[in-house]
Amino acid sequence: MNIILLGPPGVGKGTIASKLSKKMKVPHIATGDMLRENVAQKTDLGAKAKNYMDKGLLVPDELVIEMIKERLKRKDCKKGFILDGFPRTINQADEISNAARVDKVVNLQASDGIIVKRLSRRRVCSQCSFIYHLDFIKPNREGFCDKCSGTLYQREDDKPETVKKRLKVYEKQTEPLIKYYQDKDLLVDVDGSGLPEEVFELVDEAIAA
Ligand code: AMP
């Protein structure tokens, strides 16, 4: 099954995608993670993307589309995939529908207030990208990942000013995808305001329906 997780930054797409990926045994493909890896490894793509990411802006379509098309060609995507953070523009959505079948689009929803609060408490593992929340998904040892002992950090773009910018970008460039996928009869809305396990159950049910 090929699934897209849609929703504003901080709504929990990464956490839910990672749980779904384990359950469905299909890869979790997060364009944000892929871009951050490119930045960390100082690739050409990383150098081009960094400026946009630091400002909370979208990386130009042509760069992201090329990257995701290459990723989807890999063998592990044959039995399905979960896309997290892609598509984010109508142009990207058109491109993905040319490259792969989309079976379901889960639209995770939460208020701006919840999102800003969540992002300020989010920490990410610098090695395996696992996502923690200082209240709900706490690491056993403060500052370190339970899974790989990597150090945890706060993403530069999770700081309050950049979060506001990212929410505006989402509203303007990504929200139109809700209607786009509604019109294709692929969209299911899921309340993303609860605890991660509760949201995961709702998503699981929505996918099975
Ligand atoms: P995320 O981890 O999904 O919040 O993404 C972090 C940042 O990476 C975004 O704010 C964008 O700058 C960039 N990014 C991730 N996915 C995309 C995409 N599909 N299109 C454009 N930029 C993206």
Side-chain angles (χ1 to χ4, degrees):
M1 199 171 195
N2 302 340
I3 295 170
I4 290 174
L5 288 186
L6 202 62
V11 75
K13 298 187 297 294
T15 301
I16 298 300
S18 138
K19 284 176 184 286
L20 271 182
S21 152
K22 270 196 204 97
K23 179 162 181 193
M24 298 171 74
K25 298 189 173 53
V26 297
H28 166 196
I29 302 174
T31 41
D33 287 347
M34 292 169 80
L35 289 167
R36 278 185 290 279
E37 249 171 64
N38 273 277
V39 172
Q41 288 170 9
K42 299 192 166 28
T43 64
D44 280 354
L45 170 60
K48 286 180 189 151
K50 186 175 184 316
N51 236 331
Y52 298 96
M53 296 171 76
D54 285 348
K55 289 188 187 131
L57 299 172
L58 293 189
V59 173
D61 276 352
E62 62 273 17
L63 298 178
V64 187
I65 288 166
E66 182 60 30
M67 177 182 82
I68 203 87
K69 278 189 170 165
E70 282 307 307
R71 178 64 186 88
L72 291 179
K73 278 186 202 155
R74 276 166 50 186
K75 229 164 99 195
D76 62 343
C77 293
K78 288 243 155 35
K79 52 192 167 102
F81 53 78
I82 296 154
L83 283 184
D84 156 14
F86 188 96
R88 263 174 151 105
T89 63
I90 298 277
N91 185 27
Q92 291 182 12
D94 285 339
E95 288 287 341
I96 189 80
S97 62
N98 291 332
R101 194 189 68 239
V102 175
D103 296 311
K104 213 152 236 184
V105 179
V106 177
N107 179 34
L108 283 177
Q109 300 170 310
S111 69
D112 282 6
I114 289 184
I115 283 166
V116 173
K117 230 190 237 163
R118 274 190 192 164
L119 288 181
S120 69
R121 307 288 286 161
R122 173 159 82 176
R123 298 294 181 270
V124 185
C125 174
S126 54
Q127 280 184 41
C128 72
S129 302
F130 190 82
I131 302 162
Y132 292 87
H133 183 286
L134 297 181
D135 303 315
F136 306 124
I137 315 172
K138 283 191 211 171
N140 292 325
R141 189 159 61 112
E142 199 184 316
F144 294 94
C145 180
D146 296 347
K147 306 195 179 289
C148 72
S149 302
T151 48
L152 304 187
Y153 74 104
Q154 181 176 33
R155 279 170 48 174
E156 203 49 49
D157 60 353
D158 279 350
K159 311 239 159 104
E161 277 321 299
T162 320
V163 166
K164 279 187 205 147
K165 175 88 196 156
R166 287 163 67 205
L167 285 171
K168 284 215 177 91
V169 167
Y170 171 78
E171 234 172 75
K172 190 155 177 243
Q173 294 183 268
T174 308
E175 223 167 45
L177 289 178
I178 294 176
K179 176 154 188 338
Y180 177 98
Y181 284 119
Q182 257 165 0
D183 289 348
K184 291 185 187 296
D185 222 5
L186 291 173
L187 195 93
V188 280
D189 289 323
V190 172
D191 178 2
S193 62
L195 293 171
E197 309 77 59
E198 294 165 354
V199 179
F200 177 66
E201 247 176 61
L202 294 176
V203 170
D204 202 28
E205 279 166 20
I207 286 171

